[in-house]
Amino acid sequence: MIDYSNKFSISRAIAYGKLFSPWIQRQILFYPLISTFISVLSVSLGLIPYGMVFIALLSFIPALMIYFGSLIFGVHTNMYIETLVPATWVEKATFTVVYSLIVLPILVVVPAQIVLWIAERIPAVAEGNSWLEVKQLSTAFSSGLLWNIMQSLIPAAVCLLALVVYSTRRILMAVVWSIVSLIGISIIGGVIGFMSAIQLAKDDVDTIKNATPEKIIDDLAANMQPSFLILGIIGSIIVLMIVFLIYRKFKLRQI
């Protein structure tokens, strides 16, 4: 029986993580490499005509890596074996949540941002690069940064929650519920974008006709700022609630 009077132990949390070490080691190694490769390839494709079509397809890969990275916690193990590992439920839950919702996104996002930062500072690469131009224009939507983060974390958190809730068909149910959450997020984003565009067109049609694409994007972003802020806050609350449920589930099944 584990002594729950002990303080939180990082070593015990890591010991719990070692149960999944073969897959964790692969992710730590390959996630940054894959992210870097895709980012370099995207920058290269931005220099050729119609490259954005292929870039759009490539962009799904890093997203899926974040959404479904926690599936390793349901591979070649089960919750009964996990329960017997000598660590407290807090330590097990903390390792699982931190790794899935913080470490994995960092492994994917940081290499991509480094590649982007370097590419923007090389004139031969940056000039006329459609991919970098899209990235630069997207900064107009920086007010939606919190919501953009939540769009990745919500499916990832749902995937992890399903893994700790279901005792059978864990992988299948985690994938299904993550996809459901993605569909919901896509519908919400589409509705808000459509309504904002309608409102922008309704406010000043003549101005839009004579405006540059950059100006239209800036105006559209300004119209969407309140919605982005509200969605970001709601998304944060949803993620926190899911994390609470994950911790609660670990507590209920601990011996």
Side-chain angles (χ1 to χ4, degrees):
M1 181 68 70
I2 299 172
D3 183 4
Y4 289 95
S5 65
N6 291 344
K7 294 182 179 180
F8 182 90
S9 171
I10 295 178
S11 61
R12 284 201 300 261
I14 294 175
Y16 172 72
K18 288 182 179 179
L19 180 64
F20 314 94
S21 60
W23 304 278
I24 289 177
Q25 289 172 0
R26 293 184 187 118
Q27 286 183 326
I28 292 175
L29 173 63
F30 289 109
Y31 266 38
L33 292 177
I34 294 172
S35 178
T36 300
F37 174 76
I38 291 175
S39 299
V40 172
L41 184 57
S42 296
V43 171
S44 302
L45 289 172
L47 294 170
I48 66 175
Y50 307 108
M52 286 300 297
V53 176
F54 300 100
I55 292 173
L57 296 175
L58 286 173
S59 66
F60 284 105
I61 298 176
L64 293 176
M65 289 162 61
I66 295 175
Y67 299 157
F68 302 119
S70 62
L71 290 178
I72 62 166
F73 293 109
V75 178
H76 298 303
T77 186
N78 59 65
M79 62 177 56
Y80 304 108
I81 295 176
E82 297 164 20
T83 301
L84 296 175
V85 176
T88 67
W89 65 269
V90 175
E91 292 157 354
K92 295 175 182 178
T94 300
F95 179 89
T96 306
V97 169
V98 169
Y99 181 77
S100 300
L101 304 185
I102 297 179
V103 175
L104 288 182
I106 288 176
L107 292 177
V108 174
V109 173
V110 171
Q113 291 301 314
I114 292 174
V115 171
L116 181 63
W117 184 86
I118 294 174
E120 289 177 337
R121 283 154 181 79
I122 303 176
V125 175
E127 186 176 354
N129 193 305
S130 59
W131 173 236
L132 295 181
E133 289 174 356
V134 168
K135 284 294 185 180
Q136 291 168 355
L137 289 176
S138 67
T139 58
F141 292 88
S142 59
S143 59
L145 178 61
L146 179 60
W147 173 236
N148 289 336
I149 294 174
M150 291 305 113
Q151 287 184 83
S152 295
L153 290 187
I154 290 175
V158 169
C159 180
L160 183 57
L161 177 62
L163 282 175
V164 301
V165 168
Y166 289 94
S167 58
T168 59
R169 297 183 298 175
R170 302 170 72 189
I171 301 293
L172 174 62
M173 298 310 299
V175 172
V176 168
W177 282 111
S178 294
I179 293 175
V180 170
S181 68
L182 282 169
I183 293 173
I185 290 172
S186 299
I187 293 174
I188 293 172
V191 169
I192 291 177
F194 177 76
M195 296 302 296
S196 298
I198 293 296
Q199 184 63 40
L200 178 61
K202 181 180 178 181
D203 289 344
D204 200 341
V205 176
D206 294 332
T207 300
I208 294 176
K209 289 181 180 179
N210 300 320
T212 62
E214 292 83 357
K215 180 63 167 58
I216 294 175
I217 290 177
D218 288 339
D219 292 341
L220 181 59
N223 279 359
M224 297 175 69
Q225 281 181 6
S227 299
F228 274 144
L229 178 59
I230 294 173
L231 284 176
I233 294 173
I234 293 175
S236 300
I237 294 172
I238 291 174
V239 170
L240 289 175
M241 290 177 61
I242 294 175
V243 169
F244 169 78
L245 293 174
I246 291 171
Y247 270 80
R248 185 171 182 271
K249 184 62 179 179
F250 270 94
K251 181 179 180 180
L252 292 176
R253 77 186 193 195
Q254 180 65 61
I255 295 177

